[in-house]
Amino acid sequence: MVKVGSSSLTTAAGGLDSDRVDALVDVLARTRAAGTEVVLVSSGAIAAGLAPLGLGERPRDLAGQQAAACVGQGLLVARYTASFARYGLRVGQVLLTADDIGRRAHYRNAYRALAQVIAMGAVPVVNENDTVATAEIKFGDNDRLAALVAHLVRADLLVLLSDVDGLYDGDPRRPGSRRLREVHGPRDLTEVEIGSAGSSGVGTGGMVTKVEAARIATDAGIPVVLTAARHAAGALAGREIGTLFHRTGERAADHLLWLEHASSPRGAVRLTARAARTVAGRHGPLLAAGITRVEGDFTAGDPVELLDEAGRVVARALIGLDARELTRLRGRPGLEVVPRADVVPLTGALPSDPSDSSNVAVPTGDASAPPAARIRIRVRTAAE
């Protein structure tokens, strides 16, 4: 699985750089010829549309971005189609919005579409559907999308290609900054300064989004290599290039990854202190006895946030009852509202206490480990 950013595909003026596209396709085609399936997540639609529309920079307004994407997306996929055709390979375009990943039915449909494209021998080229995406449903960057798609297609490796050859402990342009060769977990990044935006002006990501994407993927058991596009061949060949993020977790159930990273909560449920600790540690299901307040208008099966007494989010869950019904039944002992298998503890969750059992339920089976803590990073702004 490979993700490439806008800055690695376009000229300084904003148009597509055919030589850069061909160089990337050369690497991906050789990888395919060696027997490895390839999925490409490619930015560049908006950037590709700038020059044809006479725009000197990326539009700041949503309508302008959508217009640039309308022009640029066709140019982008046409360029990939022509470049892969040199090797007798077909391209399958897959455009997604956050809504497609955020809705479980759409998520499953996306998986089936990608699986079929691969099975039929085409190379999937995935991008955010900037033409129709609104501010409320945009991924914001294709790095996070790539991490989610990597899990969706059960990738063995995610390679994030940028205009920087790896993750540095400071600004790469500053003397003395050191490239991190390996990252084994959040502790390796505690004191790392990470830029919040790229330098090209044509993309939306930056190192922050790449590190977050690496966290999502490695938590799900997928190693990540972050490097420059010019080193793509070495990264896919397994050479020591860029920064390697080691796996920190095991592959979780699809619905749990979706629940944690892609779902849009439809409401919230406030819990007693004991119930909050129970769900944070996944020691048992959530029972109605541990619920003190219901917020929002959700239906059974919707994702909701679980809050502690202070209103802090400790977990996300697929709720088993409608909001009105849950309001009526809250506090009732013995009634299961959310099974343990449908709860994902989130960052900042309360320390778990196995002896605490406000839910008055005995867990059965082995609970999967809660997700690793989020990477703590210091974001370096442009003014620093």
Side-chain angles (χ1 to χ4, degrees), residues 202-286:
V202 296
T204 60
M207 201 55 69
V208 168
T209 64
K210 290 170 179 55
V211 171
E212 176 64 7
R215 186 194 68 81
I216 294 172
T218 55
D219 276 1
I222 303 169
V224 175
V225 174
L226 169 62
T227 190
R230 65 182 181 275
H231 297 315
L236 288 170
R239 294 200 289 271
E240 293 185 7
I241 286 174
T243 300
L244 170 63
F245 293 80
H246 291 271
R247 287 186 295 234
T248 57
E250 300 296 329
R251 178 179 173 84
D254 284 343
H255 79 286
L256 292 181
L257 187 93
W258 166 83
L259 183 61
E260 180 178 5
H261 297 294
S263 65
S264 299
R266 309 298 183 187
V269 174
R270 191 161 301 208
L271 310 178
T272 64
R274 289 184 176 181
R277 284 192 290 269
T278 298
V279 296
R282 299 195 78 211
H283 297 299
L286 173 63

Side-chain angles (χ1 to χ4, degrees), residues 32-87:
R32 271 289 303 266
T36 300
E37 297 291 350
V38 174
V39 175
L40 175 63
V41 174
S42 176
S43 300
I46 294 177
L50 300 183
L53 291 175
L55 300 175
E57 61 181 16
R58 181 188 179 94
R60 296 181 180 275
D61 63 298
L62 181 61
Q65 293 172 14
Q66 290 172 325
C70 283
V71 175
Q73 186 61 49
L75 296 173
L76 182 66
V77 73
R79 190 67 200 85
Y80 276 125
T81 299
S83 192
F84 274 107
R86 296 177 297 142
Y87 295 92

Side-chain angles (χ1 to χ4, degrees), residues 130-349:
D130 294 304
T131 299
V132 300
T134 65
E136 290 75 20
I137 64 174
K138 286 178 68 65
F139 285 102
D141 64 85
N142 273 333
D143 297 314
R144 178 168 168 262
L145 172 61
L148 294 170
V149 172
H151 188 279
L152 195 66
V153 301
R154 295 166 172 80
D156 296 317
L157 173 70
L158 171 60
V159 178
L160 299 174
L161 300 178
S162 178
D163 51 2
V164 182
D165 64 348
L167 175 64
Y168 284 74
D169 58 5
D171 189 336
R173 298 165 294 186
R174 190 170 61 201
S177 293
R178 180 178 60 89
R179 176 169 60 87
L180 279 65
R181 297 183 181 277
E182 295 181 280
V183 174
H184 293 274
R187 290 184 180 180
D188 291 349
L189 300 174
T190 302
E191 301 301 326
V192 174
E193 295 181 12
I194 301 178
S196 59
S199 59
S200 65
V202 296
T204 60
M207 201 55 69
V208 168
T209 64
K210 290 170 179 55
V211 171
E212 176 64 7
R215 186 194 68 81
I216 294 172
T218 55
D219 276 1
I222 303 169
V224 175
V225 174
L226 169 62
T227 190
R230 65 182 181 275
H231 297 315
L236 288 170
R239 294 200 289 271
E240 293 185 7
I241 286 174
T243 300
L244 170 63
F245 293 80
H246 291 271
R247 287 186 295 234
T248 57
E250 300 296 329
R251 178 179 173 84
D254 284 343
H255 79 286
L256 292 181
L257 187 93
W258 166 83
L259 183 61
E260 180 178 5
H261 297 294
S263 65
S264 299
R266 309 298 183 187
V269 174
R270 191 161 301 208
L271 310 178
T272 64
R274 289 184 176 181
R277 284 192 290 269
T278 298
V279 296
R282 299 195 78 211
H283 297 299
L286 173 63
L287 302 186
I291 297 174
T292 61
R293 182 178 174 182
V294 177
E295 303 171 5
D297 184 19
F298 49 82
T299 61
D302 281 345
V304 300
E305 291 183 329
L306 304 183
L307 315 178
D308 65 9
E309 291 181 314
R312 295 172 298 190
V313 179
V314 297
R316 192 171 291 173
L318 295 176
I319 202 71
L321 298 172
D322 296 345
R324 292 183 180 180
E325 188 176 12
L326 188 58
T327 299
R328 180 173 59 85
L329 297 174
R330 64 185 173 88
R332 178 174 297 187
L335 175 62
E336 180 176 304
V337 174
V338 181
R340 182 179 52 178
D342 287 343
V343 176
V344 174
L346 298 180
T347 303

Side-chain angles (χ1 to χ4, degrees), residues 2-15:
V2 175
K3 184 268 174 181
V4 63
S6 300
S7 61
S8 300
L9 298 173
T10 54
T11 65

